[in-house]
Amino acid sequence: MITLKGETVVLRVLTEDDALAMTNLTSRNKSYWSVYEPRHDSSYYTVAVQREKIRESLQQLREKREYSFGIFRADNNRLIGHISLYGIKRLPFLSGFVGYSIDQAETGKGIATEAVRLILEFGFERAGLHRIEAYVSPDNVGSVRVLEKAGLRQEGLLRQLLFINGVWEDHYLYAILEDDH
């Protein structure tokens, strides 16, 4: 399994043993995360569904199409978020997207920025990518700040990109190239 160590966080590929912790994390942040992500039905917040999502991510990892990590506090190994490098395209693109969610109780502490920096390093140095992109709502000021602190640059506004909770939402496109890193 892949583990990426930072100063305050550790990114580790989730295993089926993490299903309960992931269920607790998603349940705890159901309202908070639903502001910028589609709402899920109640079955999503069960151990069975989270275990299946972990199994799917492990299959994607084996195929080198997605790298999905739990974000753990380095001091107590508690699961406090999730980050993935997904939508990976090989040549001629060599690109992928980064997406993340942090426990509401842990925001504003630099955790997301550290996690993004770790996954960028992994994406460029170990996954062999040339370009990493991210979508972010213009209203999500905290996440915009995270991406900019991690070195991504805003490249444009994608109008009505994602259908979230009954509304088509605009999103900024941010990106970083391996030469920028």
Side-chain angles (χ1 to χ4, degrees):
M1 285 296 140
I2 303 168
T3 301
L4 310 174
K5 295 181 180 177
E7 290 183 30
T8 59
V9 298
V10 173
L11 308 186
R12 178 177 57 75
V13 170
L14 295 170
T15 68
E16 290 184 46
D17 292 340
D18 297 309
L20 177 59
M22 195 64 191
T23 303
N24 291 336
L25 177 67
T26 57
S27 296
R28 212 172 36 248
N29 289 280
K30 182 178 182 179
S31 295
Y32 177 64
W33 289 350
S34 72
V35 174
Y36 301 112
E37 298 176 10
R39 289 185 187 97
H40 301 283
D41 63 33
S42 59
S43 67
Y44 181 83
Y45 303 96
T46 63
V47 173
V49 167
Q50 293 304 313
R51 184 175 290 117
E52 185 56 32
K53 286 181 63 55
I54 290 169
R55 284 185 190 131
E56 290 170 6
S57 71
L58 291 170
Q59 181 60 37
Q60 297 279 338
L61 173 68
R62 285 189 284 279
E63 296 169 4
K64 296 184 179 177
R65 294 183 357 191
E66 180 175 307
Y67 299 91
S68 188
F69 299 90
I71 302 171
F72 296 84
R73 286 188 58 91
D75 59 356
N76 63 13
N77 202 36
R78 188 169 64 88
L79 181 64
I80 57 169
H82 179 268
I83 189 166
S84 348
L85 196 52
Y86 66 96
I88 293 175
K89 296 176 189 165
R90 297 296 169 195
L91 281 173
F93 297 99
L94 287 180
S95 66
F97 285 88
V98 63
Y100 49 89
S101 299
I102 304 294
D103 189 325
Q104 183 176 13
E106 299 290 341
T107 60
K109 300 177 182 177
I111 289 167
T113 302
E114 183 177 356
V116 169
R117 286 177 176 152
L118 286 169
I119 208 161
L120 293 177
E121 182 178 328
F122 172 83
F124 293 130
E125 296 177 13
R126 293 177 59 187
L129 299 181
H130 171 71
R131 176 183 174 88
I132 298 175
E133 302 172 335
Y135 295 139
V136 61
S137 167
D139 297 331
N140 193 342
V141 177
S143 197
V144 165
R145 190 168 44 248
V146 165
L147 295 173
E148 290 176 351
K149 284 170 56 179
L152 285 86
R153 297 180 191 163
Q154 186 185 128
E155 294 190 339
L157 177 70
L158 304 172
R159 297 178 309 128
Q160 297 186 10
L161 176 70
L162 296 174
F163 193 69
I164 298 178
N165 305 321
V167 180
W168 284 102
E169 298 279 352
D170 296 346
H171 276 66
Y172 289 133
L173 171 63
Y174 273 77
I176 186 171
L177 306 177
E178 64 182 323
D179 296 341
D180 300 333
H181 181 64

